[in-house]
Amino acid sequence: MTSERTYHHGDLRRAVLTAALDVIAADGPDALSLRDLARRAGVSHAAPAHHFKDRTGLLTAVAAEGYALFADALAEAPGLRERGVAYVRFALGHPAHFQVMFRPELHRADDPALLTARARATTALRAGVSGLPDASRGGDDRLAGIAAWSLAHGFATLLLSGNLDEPVGGRDPGEVFRALAGLVFTQENDRDG
């Protein structure tokens, strides 16, 4: 009977991850409990531990999945400005992943899947910066990268927290981000059209 309950989803790992993303999106990562997720998935309270070991393992899996999805989204975007738009769209489309990915205290920093996915995302972001003309980078690729990351991450975070509801209004967040990026990286704006 236990194995029937444990695997009635066909993919318990995915069912627990999906339930975790729902909880995080609604109440934040601090509200996450393996026991509650097991109840939501209709399995024994110990079943999620077979896939994730503990809460940190589950949050690590959420972050790794988030970085993999994020890297895919960034890789499809040409140029730094469009990578910034992809960054913002990713945050809006995957708010639970986004909340966990950038809180390293929530996950295991040495997890191989997390390290691989994060490295892919970092490479995609850096490629956007390296594509800028030298004058737009200010002679320091690392600082230009921090500026671009700060702009995209800050804008996405402010959108998600509702702090830009009035200033952005009904406008497309991607278009608003393009305008902001054009203010900061003017020469890149001319290159990407």
Side-chain angles (χ1 to χ4, degrees):
M1 174 146 167
T2 303
S3 63
E4 186 177 301
R5 279 194 69 192
T6 302
Y7 296 103
H8 78 278
H9 290 284
D11 187 352
L12 177 61
R13 184 178 195 283
R14 179 77 256 155
V16 172
L17 275 170
T18 299
L21 291 169
D22 291 344
V23 169
I24 294 166
D27 301 315
D30 296 333
L32 203 61
S33 147
L34 286 182
R35 186 174 291 271
D36 176 56
L37 295 175
R39 182 188 55 74
R40 289 172 184 254
V43 297
S44 76
H45 71 277
H50 293 292
H51 293 280
F52 304 106
K53 186 177 174 186
D54 56 18
R55 184 177 182 276
T56 302
L58 174 59
L59 289 167
T60 301
V62 168
E65 180 179 81
Y67 274 111
L69 293 168
F70 186 48
D72 291 344
L74 293 172
E76 294 174 8
L80 182 63
R81 183 177 51 176
E82 292 308 310
R83 283 193 172 115
V85 171
Y87 194 114
V88 170
R89 292 196 195 288
F90 173 82
L92 296 175
H94 301 278
H97 288 104
F98 190 77
Q99 286 183 59
V100 174
M101 290 163 53
F102 298 102
R103 289 193 48 199
E105 78 277 9
L106 295 178
H107 34 81
R108 292 190 177 93
D110 62 348
D111 180 78
L114 176 63
L115 291 171
T116 299
R118 185 185 299 146
R120 282 184 52 227
T122 300
T123 298
L125 287 169
R126 287 186 178 150
V129 171
S130 67
L132 289 172
D134 290 340
S136 289
R137 285 183 270 154
D140 189 333
D141 286 359
R142 190 157 179 86
L143 284 179
I146 291 169
W149 184 24
S150 298
L151 181 63
H153 191 83
F155 184 68
T157 300
L158 290 168
L159 281 171
L160 285 172
S161 63
N163 284 295
L164 294 179
D165 290 350
E166 186 179 324
V168 171
R171 293 181 289 174
D172 173 44
E175 291 302 320
V176 174
F177 182 81
R178 282 184 187 97
L180 293 173
L183 295 172
V184 176
F185 295 103
T186 55
Q187 292 182 2
E188 192 269 344
N189 186 31
D190 296 337
R191 256 181 102 199
D192 279 354

